């Protein structure tokens, strides 16, 4: 099985100039090489047949993706309307600023099949393309954000995958994201 970083994931996981909440101590090439050379500890089913998640022990100093919301840190939450790319519509997002974040125990790349990426207008030559990565304390998936589920349901033209909303998965997502938020340096 061959794995590559998609341009979408490369820009988010390895932004120009670096970022404290991106992958640390690793180049995009080293990241790809690790995924191709080191077998994952676990493989998780994704939200659709074309999606899979590979659970790897964190070999970097990358910090967790999310932080629980508490009474002590709630005042550090920020929000804004943002788009992930020039082509997408802006959506409301929220994040922490100025919080302590532990180093993640696991990196969990989210992989899409070559066929799905071609359907989304992002062809690759490898079998699988990395579209994102979760940085977690536990070897399990963080629920997809509700807005990502909605974008996926809107279809490829709106930056999604075309997978309809699973109402139960959406409820679990809302429960998780109501109690947690991403962070920014």
């Amino acid at each position: 099985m061959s794995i590559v970083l998609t341009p979408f994931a490369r820009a988010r996981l390895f932004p120009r100039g670096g970022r404290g909440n991106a992958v640390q101590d690793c180049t995009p090439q080293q990241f790809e090489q690790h995924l191709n050379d080191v077998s994952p500890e676990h493989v998780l089913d994704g939200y659709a047949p074309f999606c899979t998640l590979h659970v790897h022990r964190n070999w970097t100093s990358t910090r967790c993706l999310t932080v629980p919301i508490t009474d002590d840190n709630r005042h550090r939450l920020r929000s804004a309307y943002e788009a992930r790319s020039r082509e997408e519509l802006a959506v409301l997002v929220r994040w922490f600023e100025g919080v302590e974040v532990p180093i993640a125990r696991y990196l969990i790349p989210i992989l899409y099949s070559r066929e799905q990426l071609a359907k989304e207008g992002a062809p690759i030559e490898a079998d699988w393309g990395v579209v994102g990565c979760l940085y977690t304390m536990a070897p399990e998936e963080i629920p997809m954000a509700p807005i990502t589920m909605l974008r996926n349901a809107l279809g490829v033209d709106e930056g999604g995958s075309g997978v309809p909303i699973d109402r139960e998965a959406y409820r679990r997502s809302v429960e998780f994201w109501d109690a947690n938020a991403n962070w920014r340096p």
Side-chain angles (χ1 to χ4, degrees), residues 18-36:
R19 195 177 63 224
N21 60 352
V23 175
Q24 304 294 306
D25 309 322
C26 184
T27 68
Q29 296 76 18
Q30 290 169 328
F31 188 81
E32 273 184 6
Q33 193 66 47
H34 188 91
L35 298 183
N36 282 289

Side-chain angles (χ1 to χ4, degrees), residues 87-102:
E87 296 80 30
E88 290 184 0
L89 296 172
V91 298
L92 185 63
V93 294
R94 69 177 181 173
W95 66 93
F96 280 112
E97 288 181 356
V99 294
E100 291 294 319
V101 183

Side-chain angles (χ1 to χ4, degrees), residues 13 24 35 38 41-42 69 98 100 102 106 113 128 131 144 165 167 182:
L13 303 179
Q24 304 294 306
L35 298 183
V38 178
E41 288 191 8
H42 308 288
I69 300 169
E100 291 294 319
Y106 298 92
S113 70
W128 295 91
V131 297
M144 185 184 303
I165 289 179
R167 293 178 72 84
N182 292 105

Side-chain angles (χ1 to χ4, degrees), residues 138-157:
E140 55 197 39
E141 181 179 9
I142 294 171
M144 185 184 303
I147 190 59
T148 304
M149 291 179 166
L150 290 170
R151 181 182 281 120
N152 281 342
L154 289 174
V156 174
D157 290 342

Side-chain angles (χ1 to χ4, degrees), residues 22-26 31 34-35 38 40-41 54-65 101-109 133-139:
V23 175
Q24 304 294 306
D25 309 322
C26 184
F31 188 81
H34 188 91
L35 298 183
V38 178
E41 288 191 8
H54 284 193
V55 178
H56 288 268
R57 285 252 174 222
N58 186 1
W59 67 94
T60 71
S61 65
T62 303
R63 299 190 174 275
C64 287
L65 188 65
V101 183
I103 292 176
R105 289 191 185 128
Y106 298 92
L107 298 184
I108 307 176
C133 189
L134 306 174
Y135 325 136
T136 68
M137 293 304 277

Side-chain angles (χ1 to χ4, degrees), residues 66-132:
T66 64
V67 177
I69 300 169
T70 67
D71 289 339
D72 292 335
N73 65 17
R74 188 177 312 278
H75 67 284
R76 296 188 177 275
L77 278 171
R78 306 291 180 262
S79 63
Y81 281 91
E82 295 179 347
R84 300 180 304 179
S85 70
R86 279 186 235 121
E87 296 80 30
E88 290 184 0
L89 296 172
V91 298
L92 185 63
V93 294
R94 69 177 181 173
W95 66 93
F96 280 112
E97 288 181 356
V99 294
E100 291 294 319
V101 183
I103 292 176
R105 289 191 185 128
Y106 298 92
L107 298 184
I108 307 176
I110 303 164
L111 310 176
Y112 275 20
S113 70
R114 173 181 33 230
E115 296 77 19
Q116 179 64 24
L117 288 168
K119 189 186 297 185
E120 293 184 20
I124 59 170
E125 299 209 8
D127 300 317
W128 295 91
V130 177
V131 297

